[in-house]
Amino acid sequence: MTKMKSVLLAMVLSSVSTMVSAAEPLYVVKSVELNQPADVVWKKVADFSDLGAWHPAVAKTEIVSGKSNHIGAKRVLTLQDGGKINETLTAYNPNVKAYSYKITDGVLPVSGYASTITVHTNGVGKSVVVWESHFLPKSPADEKTASDTIKGVYDGGLDQLKKLFQ
């Protein structure tokens, strides 16, 4: 009977391990409506080499490889608290006012993070900025922390855009 319990326990642990490693990604989508034309807003958010121009948590943005706004460019964000985030530009399309990037390393509690920022026309003289991502928590037990952190990052940047374009 003890051997049977050991076999069952091993099967359960194997199943749990498989479920943890096959975790579903988390998604965050945030947006802000602005009383400015999309072209004006795009000029503010479009520069991959200067996230600090509109995000208050970023003290410095440095392109460390490649050329800004070109796929493959790598940037290091230095946050106001000194933390660092390494990111790579994966898509850039000024015609549709969008770019995508991924985090390759950093202080945020996420892994496999990929994100897109898009600016859309939303009526005459108005626009909407959409910031969306999918990711995994660094620790499977920290889904809420990971999701709340990314929501906070997006809220901080989008709230600042609203202030800049009042």
Side-chain angles (χ1 to χ4, degrees), residues 86-103:
N86 299 308
E87 298 178 334
T88 301
L89 188 65
T90 57
Y92 191 89
N93 189 336
N95 296 325
V96 296
K97 298 175 184 65
Y99 67 87
S100 300
Y101 64 95
K102 64 182 180 179
I103 294 177

Side-chain angles (χ1 to χ4, degrees), residues 47-62:
D47 189 358
F48 188 68
S49 68
D50 195 9
L51 184 59
W54 60 275
H55 201 297
V58 177
K60 179 182 173 186
T61 306
E62 180 183 6

